[in-house]
Amino acid sequence: MPRCSLMGFDLNRHWVDPSPWAHPTLHGVKQLIVQMYNNPKISLEFYIDIHAHSTMMNGFMYGNIFEEEERFQRQAIFPKLLCQNAEDFSFSSTSFNRDAVKAGTGRRFLGGLLDHSSYCYTLEVSFYSYILGGTTSTVPYTEEAYMKLGRNVARTFSDYYRLNTISERPLAPIPNTRKEKMPSFKCATQRGPGNSHPGRKLQRRSQTNPTELSHSS
């Protein structure tokens, strides 16, 4: 879906109440998603809005903030897995917020509409290039590189559902003297100003991100 319509409306700011006259494509997509959500035969688990970013490099995601801590932490699983699969995806640039100015976006609106089993993201990808993890080398994006990221997103869905299948199996009893550690996520990071360490505990980011406000979705 293009960012602006032929009438000049920013289509990613009118999800709350799209007009069938002024935003017909958005109105139709929203109706379809609501119908799917209300259909007991359909499990609507992911919504990913894809945009290009004009200033930041690499691919990264924006997610939502929830009051339920478990849901808030679980939504970090998909971008962490994607970071393992895609060398151009940056988890350190991924952030989770609920800025008021973003209330009209698909990510924010559907994040509030859908239930706890659904996860909504914006996937941002640089117009220009990405930085290889552990280096300062920039690699220009090409059509093939964008397509490769798309394939890695599909591969991440496979990993995500495989992981969920394993986690839903009955667990064998663990002796009290044994301490199990959660599996760690190893992910390449970028070096540059403003990047935080990916191994940190996921933090809620409710403050406004100036870069996101100016250039992203």
Side-chain angles (χ1 to χ4, degrees), residues 13-62:
R13 293 295 184 275
H14 291 85
W15 273 86
V16 175
D17 187 24
S19 164
W21 174 79
H23 328 105
T25 53
L26 181 56
H27 183 267
V29 170
K30 178 182 175 181
Q31 281 192 321
L32 176 61
I33 292 177
V34 171
Q35 289 173 5
M36 293 172 63
Y37 175 64
N38 291 328
N39 187 338
K41 297 181 179 180
I42 296 177
S43 178
L44 188 58
E45 298 179 349
F46 281 92
Y47 166 87
I48 301 180
D49 197 3
I50 302 175
H51 289 267
H53 205 287
S54 61
T55 60
M56 294 182 68
M57 291 191 287
N58 290 65
F60 56 95
M61 280 182 156
Y62 292 123

Side-chain angles (χ1 to χ4, degrees), residues 3 10 12-13 53-56 60 62 95 97-105 107-108 124 206-217:
R3 180 60 183 262
D10 185 340
N12 202 32
R13 293 295 184 275
H53 205 287
S54 61
T55 60
M56 294 182 68
F60 56 95
Y62 292 123
S95 65
N97 59 62
R98 53 181 172 195
D99 301 330
V101 72
K102 302 295 181 182
T105 64
R107 167 180 65 88
R108 283 289 313 280
E124 298 274 0
S206 58
Q207 68 272 22
T208 299
N209 183 329
T211 304
E212 185 187 359
L213 289 179
S214 302
H215 304 281
S216 65
S217 308

Side-chain angles (χ1 to χ4, degrees), residues 11-192:
L11 295 178
N12 202 32
R13 293 295 184 275
H14 291 85
W15 273 86
V16 175
D17 187 24
S19 164
W21 174 79
H23 328 105
T25 53
L26 181 56
H27 183 267
V29 170
K30 178 182 175 181
Q31 281 192 321
L32 176 61
I33 292 177
V34 171
Q35 289 173 5
M36 293 172 63
Y37 175 64
N38 291 328
N39 187 338
K41 297 181 179 180
I42 296 177
S43 178
L44 188 58
E45 298 179 349
F46 281 92
Y47 166 87
I48 301 180
D49 197 3
I50 302 175
H51 289 267
H53 205 287
S54 61
T55 60
M56 294 182 68
M57 291 191 287
N58 290 65
F60 56 95
M61 280 182 156
Y62 292 123
N64 294 311
I65 289 178
F66 303 102
E67 296 301 328
E68 302 86 355
E69 185 67 22
E70 181 181 358
R71 185 182 183 189
F72 176 68
Q73 295 292 338
R74 283 183 63 86
Q75 73 166 335
I77 294 176
F78 188 88
K80 284 184 176 180
L81 290 174
L82 179 56
C83 189
Q84 290 184 324
N85 288 329
E87 65 178 3
D88 58 322
F89 183 85
S90 170
F91 184 75
S92 60
S93 295
T94 294
S95 65
F96 304 85
N97 59 62
R98 53 181 172 195
D99 301 330
V101 72
K102 302 295 181 182
T105 64
R107 167 180 65 88
R108 283 289 313 280
F109 173 77
L110 293 174
L113 173 69
L114 306 180
D115 63 23
H116 69 279
S117 65
S118 303
Y119 297 96
C120 302
Y121 305 93
T122 298
L123 172 60
E124 298 274 0
V125 187
S126 174
F127 268 121
Y128 309 111
S129 58
Y130 60 93
I131 301 176
L132 289 174
T135 73
T136 57
S137 301
T138 58
V139 181
Y141 267 111
T142 62
E143 183 178 354
E144 172 57 30
Y146 287 128
M147 293 177 66
K148 183 179 179 180
L149 178 57
R151 291 192 294 269
N152 285 327
V153 170
R155 183 177 295 112
T156 301
F157 277 115
S158 177
D159 292 344
Y160 178 87
Y161 285 110
R162 187 183 302 115
L163 181 64
N164 267 7
T165 300
I166 294 174
S167 66
E168 289 172 0
R169 294 175 183 171
L171 299 177
I174 300 175
N176 292 334
T177 57
R178 182 181 176 185
K179 294 183 179 181
E180 292 290 330
K181 293 183 178 180
M182 294 293 291
S184 61
F185 288 94
K186 294 183 179 180
C187 176
T189 60
Q190 311 165 42
R191 300 196 175 187

